[in-house]
Structure formats: structure tokens, C-alpha cells
Amino acid sequence: MTSGTSRTALVVEDERTINDALAQRLRAEGYVVEQAFDGPTAVELATSVRPDVVLLDVMLPGFDGLEVCRRIQAERPVPVLMLTARDDEADVLVGLGVGADDYLTKPFSMREVVARVSALLRRVERAAALAEERPAAVRVGGVSLDPGTRRTTVAGDPVHLTPTEFDLLLCLARGSGQVLTRERLLRDVWDWGDAWASASATRTVDSHVKALRSKVGPERIRTVHGVGYALEDLP
């Protein structure tokens, strides 16, 4: 998908200049855009408007973007692109832990914002199409993933994964026995082209892998330094 025609984006950013710039660019790309400048308004708009994607700043008045993300995701799943002024790994992991699908560190280019939003929406469409096909579950050792229901178990116990974490684990599972490069993961999971294989992009992969390890066990995902990751066939 290259345009946002008929798609609604909710931009949540307390700095009006940035909020307006994001809204203007997304509208130029064909999106219907709603704007919020604080946490409570963001949650209210997410409920009433039911956006297709949310661009969410971390630092907000009222309550912060992490709490906004928790409340939005508790009501219904929606792809969230977190916007943060800090590239601190702990902050990023907390954001991913409350349901954000991706993050961008300020300052960022509008071109990259549009590309990330488009990629998020393509992944939602792809997941919906996959669910209709009712594909067989994928099992690697003690990990089982059902692409149709998007449910995951590890050693028989259910594990809650965000949409991005599920797609990442499924990609690693389907490539079991192989080392998947960060560039391949960016292409297959995030739907990014080679142009986005920057240091920022590879940090996105690393952050999601770290968050995923905390849920499925660090021993299940092996790091091959300088190359990428592999899912271990453990019981």
C-alpha cells in the first residue's frame, strides 16, 4: 500500500509544530488524520474514531504515551508507532512491552515516518489475509505458533505477544536452523526495503528481539554477532 486512502491516523504529540507537520504530511499521503495533544484526549479519540494506526509521543501531559498505549491496546489491537526523544534501550523496551509495534527516535524525517506507517498497515493487511487462509501451526521445539489465531505457546504455556513479536517469532520459526540476518528480518517482518537498513533500523530489530526473549526465554533465540539471529530447537 503506497497511500493512506480511506485510512485514519491518530497523531498524538504535545508539541503543536511537530503534530501539525505530521498531520499535514499524512494528509498529503491520503490519510484522514485526527490530532491529540494530551493523553486523555488521545484515549477518547482512539475510542470514538477507531484509527487504523496511531503515532504516539512518549512524553505527554495528562498521562504519558505508555499509559495511552496500554489503554488503547486494552480496548482493541491497533498498530502504534511510538515517537521518543530518547534512544534509551530501557525506555524502548517498556514501550514495546505495552504494545507499541515500532518506534522512531527524534529527530526523524517525514519520509521515514510515512514509510514506517505504510509498512505497519501492510503488515496488518497481511496478517488478516493469513488468518483467512487458516495455515497450519508452526512448531519448533517447545514453541508453537498458530498464524490463524495468532496464539503462541511455549512449553505448553500460553504467551502473550504483540503483533510485531508474533511476526518476528514466526519468521524465526519458519527459518529454524538458519541464521536470519537483521536485513532479512527487516524485510520479512517489518516490510522495509534495503533503503531502511540503517543503524536505527537494525536497533529496532535488536530491541524487539530483546523484548521477545523476555517472554519466550533468552536461551531460545541465539545471537550470531555481526550477522543476525536464529531460533534454537529446544524442548
Side-chain angles (χ1 to χ4, degrees):
M1 178 168 52
T2 57
S3 78
T5 303
S6 79
R7 296 289 188 172
T8 299
L10 172 59
V11 177
V12 187
E13 164 65 66
D14 64 324
E15 293 188 38
R16 182 168 291 274
T17 301
I18 297 175
N19 196 316
D20 288 344
L22 287 166
Q24 181 179 4
R25 179 57 186 267
L26 289 169
R27 288 185 179 116
E29 296 290 332
Y31 292 87
V32 176
V33 180
E34 297 287 341
Q35 295 173 259
F37 300 88
D38 60 68
T41 304
V43 174
E44 290 174 8
L45 280 174
T47 299
S48 61
V49 174
R50 297 180 68 83
D52 297 292
V53 64
V54 178
L55 289 78
L56 180 59
D57 186 32
V58 173
M59 302 302 295
L60 294 169
F63 43 78
D64 66 18
L66 301 176
E67 182 61 23
V68 171
C69 192
R70 285 190 192 95
R71 297 190 186 195
I72 289 176
Q73 299 292 8
E75 182 171 327
R76 72 179 183 96
V78 59
V80 172
L81 174 61
M82 194 75 80
L83 308 175
T84 175
R86 298 169 59 183
D87 197 16
D88 184 270
E89 185 179 50
D91 290 348
V92 169
L93 291 175
V94 170
L96 299 179
V98 297
D101 294 275
D102 197 3
Y103 70 94
L104 265 177
T105 303
K106 299 176 183 177
F108 44 73
S109 72
M110 290 299 169
R111 178 171 170 261
E112 184 166 8
V113 170
V114 170
R116 299 268 190 119
V117 168
S118 296
L120 280 175
L121 291 172
R122 285 195 300 270
R123 287 169 48 211
V124 170
E125 292 177 347
R126 191 169 64 223
L130 190 63
E132 291 181 1
E133 296 173 5
R134 297 188 176 276
V138 178
R139 295 180 176 85
V140 177
V143 176
S144 177
L145 301 106
D146 186 335
T149 62
R150 298 183 73 80
R151 291 177 178 168
T152 307
T153 61
V154 177
D157 296 324
V159 176
H160 174 72
L161 302 180
T162 67
T164 302
E165 289 167 350
F166 183 91
D167 291 342
L168 175 57
L169 187 57
L170 182 62
C171 187
L172 289 168
R174 286 176 166 164
S176 178
Q178 304 177 50
V179 178
L180 303 186
T181 66
R182 291 175 176 84
E183 291 74 20
R184 176 173 170 180
L185 292 170
L186 283 168
R187 184 178 65 249
D188 293 353
V189 177
W190 280 265
D191 201 13
W192 296 358
D194 293 339
W196 298 109
S198 61
S200 172
T202 55
R203 282 200 303 273
T204 294
V205 176
D206 296 341
S207 296
H208 277 85
V209 167
K210 187 163 187 177
L212 187 57
R213 278 176 168 148
S214 71
K215 296 183 178 182
V216 304
E219 73 283 355
R220 293 189 180 276
I221 303 176
R222 176 167 55 94
T223 300
V224 180
H225 293 288
V227 182
Y229 298 98
L231 184 65
E232 296 289 81
D233 189 4
L234 300 177

